[in-house]
Amino acid sequence: DGEPLHCIGCGAEIQTTDKTAPGYTPQSALDKGLENQEVYCQRCFRLRHYNEIVPVGLTDDDFLSLLTQIRDANALIVYVVDIFDFNGSVIPGLHRFVGDNPILLVGNKEDILPRSLKRSKLKDWLRQRANEAGLRPIDVALLSAKTNQSVDDLLKLIDKHRGNRDVYVVGVTNVGKSTLINQIVRQNTGVKDLITTSRFPGTTLDKIELPLDDDHVLVDTPGIIQNAQMAHYLTGKDLKLVTPQKPIKPKVYQLQDNQTLFLGGIARFDYTKGPKSGFTAYFENNLYIHRTKLENADDFYARQLGELLTPPHAADKDDFPALVSHDFKVTEKSDLVFEGLGWITVPAGTHVTGWAPAGVGVLVRRAMI
Ligand code: GDP
């Protein structure tokens, strides 16, 4: 009693309150572990028993230590991003911490992008976005961790580029990094017993090391939390409804100015100025998109939120944050992005307004397609 308990796997201090922090153990598992004098945190437990890696959240201090260690390592950095949510995948300050280490950029969730989209074009587009974030990747890979598509190609690219280096896999939470690591573990039969955990110096964070076929290791770093993601503003049920699981089928709307599109009750698009034009919407295929006149839009939303306009559903609508507007003058063909939800491709020479809950990013970027 009184002495803090530590996980015998990774050494993190055991706690039962914060599922996303290191050392989390459900109370029932803790009681059982105490009986057997063997307390593992949930993360190590899953890793040992199910070969499954669970991400944990980071404090700012831990985040800084993590980046510092990456800077000081001699490593190939495999930077995993969600193609569907590039902005939500950006690790703040990463470019200042990579040092001379090469970066291999991995665009995950390829399975949900329209099949018609040329992959070479998508790679160029990803490279441009990385350049804007101050990164110069040596290579770009596209894959789907979920369907295991092209994961073997990534392993070949890693071997090609790592030379005499360790490999650090980095990414913010929700980009699919754990899913990817689990696929890599699965493809390397027998690697299970060889997984080791060790500590990032001066932090409570553990890293997971997968031995490569020489003296080097592939290091899975803890997922960094990016608060601008839609995932943080929707309940689990609603998030599921707006997260694409299948390839997106683009929908084209011919709009006059002063028309509005509602994206369920979660977001809104106003076409405020310009000639009659085509706008292409990329969202979860079943998300209900409702067209109305701009002058009626506020009223309509107040009446129909949780009714015609879902999600959110009626039971949750009172807790749903108000939508905040963002105005843009579009001078070249662009995507108006609702971070984590999707985007609308907007022609040049138009004025548009995007609405989303406060905290969810709404921005304009060079058109992907
Ligand atoms: P992490 O936080 O980066 O470790 O992300 P997870 O591996 O936990 O994945 C976050 C979410 O993205 C989960 O709902 C996954 O099912 C989903 N996901 C991961 N990889 C893919 C993928 O390749 N395609 C799709 N469509 N979803 C994915």
Side-chain angles (χ1 to χ4, degrees), residues 327-332 350-352 364:
D327 300 330
F328 301 95
K329 289 178 186 163
V330 176
T331 53
E332 58 170 359
T350 57
H351 294 194
V352 295
V364 163

Side-chain angles (χ1 to χ4, degrees), residues 41-60:
C41 69
Q42 188 172 56
R43 185 163 190 251
C44 286
F45 183 85
R46 289 209 190 146
L47 181 62
R48 286 175 57 86
H49 292 274
Y50 306 118
N51 218 4
E52 193 178 271
I53 289 161
V54 187
V56 293
L58 296 194
T59 64
D60 288 354

Side-chain angles (χ1 to χ4, degrees), residues 268-270 283 326 328 330 334-338 342-346 352-355 362-365:
R268 165 177 161 185
F269 172 83
D270 296 340
F283 297 97
H326 308 258
F328 301 95
V330 176
S334 302
D335 296 332
L336 177 68
V337 180
F338 301 86
W343 64 89
I344 296 177
T345 304
V346 174
V352 295
T353 301
W355 300 69
V362 176
L363 53 109
V364 163
R365 69 175 181 205

Side-chain angles (χ1 to χ4, degrees), residues 53-56 80 82 107-112 143-149 171-182 220 223-224 243-246:
I53 289 161
V54 187
V56 293
V80 185
D82 177 349
N108 185 34
K109 309 197 186 177
E110 187 195 355
D111 57 301
I112 55 178
L143 55 79
S144 166
K146 193 161 114 180
T147 66
N148 205 14
Q149 180 185 320
V172 309
T173 54
N174 296 321
V175 298
K177 189 164 66 63
S178 312
T179 310
L180 177 61
I181 296 281
N182 287 324
D220 179 31
I224 294 150
T243 304
Q245 305 293 338
K246 298 222 172 92

Side-chain angles (χ1 to χ4, degrees), residues 160-197:
K160 175 175 163 196
H161 291 299
R162 78 183 166 92
N164 189 32
R165 297 185 189 90
D166 290 330
V167 179
Y168 276 62
V169 185
V170 301
V172 309
T173 54
N174 296 321
V175 298
K177 189 164 66 63
S178 312
T179 310
L180 177 61
I181 296 281
N182 287 324
Q183 290 287 13
I184 291 175
V185 171
R186 236 170 266 142
Q187 294 202 359
N188 289 268
T189 39
V191 86
K192 176 178 181 182
D193 296 336
L194 297 172
I195 293 175
T196 56
T197 58

Side-chain angles (χ1 to χ4, degrees), residues 13-157:
E13 197 171 307
I14 294 291
Q15 48 91 14
T16 56
T17 47
D18 184 354
K19 278 190 184 173
T20 62
Y24 174 74
T25 312
Q27 186 65 46
S28 57
L30 175 58
D31 295 343
K32 219 171 176 183
L34 286 174
E35 262 170 40
N36 307 326
Q37 305 196 313
E38 246 200 12
V39 180
Y40 284 103
C41 69
Q42 188 172 56
R43 185 163 190 251
C44 286
F45 183 85
R46 289 209 190 146
L47 181 62
R48 286 175 57 86
H49 292 274
Y50 306 118
N51 218 4
E52 193 178 271
I53 289 161
V54 187
V56 293
L58 296 194
T59 64
D60 288 354
D61 283 353
D62 282 343
F63 174 55
L64 210 62
S65 305
L66 176 69
L67 286 181
T68 307
Q69 168 141 1
I70 292 171
R71 184 188 60 198
D72 296 341
N74 177 24
L76 170 67
I77 296 169
V78 175
Y79 175 28
V80 185
V81 300
D82 177 349
I83 316 173
F84 186 67
D85 187 12
F86 187 87
N87 284 84
S89 302
V90 171
I91 300 177
L94 181 63
H95 64 286
R96 281 184 274 114
F97 285 90
V98 291
D100 294 330
N101 290 319
I103 295 190
L104 177 55
L105 181 64
V106 176
N108 185 34
K109 309 197 186 177
E110 187 195 355
D111 57 301
I112 55 178
L113 288 185
R115 294 197 213 279
S116 57
L117 175 54
K118 282 225 175 56
R119 272 25 190 182
S120 56
K121 206 176 154 204
L122 184 53
K123 279 190 193 177
D124 290 344
W125 183 89
L126 268 178
R127 195 184 281 280
Q128 287 165 10
R129 300 288 78 69
N131 290 349
E132 282 171 3
L135 301 173
R136 297 265 172 280
I138 44 163
D139 224 326
V140 180
L142 291 177
L143 55 79
S144 166
K146 193 161 114 180
T147 66
N148 205 14
Q149 180 185 320
S150 306
V151 174
D152 48 345
D153 293 338
L154 172 65
L155 294 175
K156 283 183 206 136
L157 273 186

